[in-house]
Amino acid sequence: MTIRISKPAFNLREKITQLEGRVPFERMPVGSMMLIGRNTSSNRTNISSNSSWTNIVGADIEVHPRLASSLLEIHMNFTMEAQNAISGIGFRIYRQLYYMSNVVGPSVLIYDNYQHSHWGTGNWTGPGTMILEVYDNPYSAVADVDGSVTTDVTTKGTSIYYYAQGYKETGNNLYVNYGQDAEGLLVTVKEIRQ
């Protein structure tokens, strides 16, 4: 007895059309990267107080990652200018969880860098450029309402908010984006599939 097996024709072009030419992020290979947030700012921040942390205006961003298992790459780039002998500068980046645009978690310090550098003795020094690059897995402790750990966070309403602070130990004014350039402060966040 002969058995014949037939399978329907498979049309690759039709399958790609069904996906609208895009592969869902959930099906992309591990290590795939996707830009999920970009923010530019022309704000100027003066870090005028010695030995206290100051929020850098415009160095904040709210993002909506696709997968809870993803690693996020936070990249901040901004210019600096100092007035008279600044020493001891530092930068911090914090994360907060938002749910439907409301804060639901405490500020968590994810980056802390302090250098005892000296910015000269003249009236003005700089400009210099600061580049901060940090990797974060913000959803490692986020769970669904029923208690199970979530994998797809697109419909959960939870977003991630990042912001930065600057510090100087001594000296006169320390400015972030003194010239108020349109892109003098740039923040990008990329999601890396794990």
Side-chain angles (χ1 to χ4, degrees), residues 176-193:
V176 176
N177 196 20
Y178 180 79
Q180 297 180 297
D181 300 320
E183 292 194 5
L185 200 155
L186 171 67
V187 180
T188 59
V189 180
K190 296 176 184 173
E191 182 172 2
I192 306 169
R193 192 180 186 314

Side-chain angles (χ1 to χ4, degrees), residues 72 90 131 139:
L72 301 185
I131 298 172
Y139 287 113

Side-chain angles (χ1 to χ4, degrees), residues 85-135:
I86 298 295
S87 68
I89 62 170
F91 299 96
R92 289 179 173 172
I93 299 176
Y94 286 90
R95 171 206 334 124
Q96 283 187 299
L97 293 180
Y98 276 25
Y99 181 73
M100 302 296 196
S101 294
N102 295 311
V103 177
V104 293
S107 292
V108 177
L109 180 65
I110 63 165
Y111 177 81
D112 192 5
N113 185 325
Y114 177 81
Q115 302 176 24
H116 192 78
S117 57
H118 298 275
W119 281 53
T121 57
N123 285 337
W124 287 95
T125 55
T129 299
M130 299 306 299
I131 298 172
L132 310 178
E133 191 161 281
V134 181
Y135 294 88

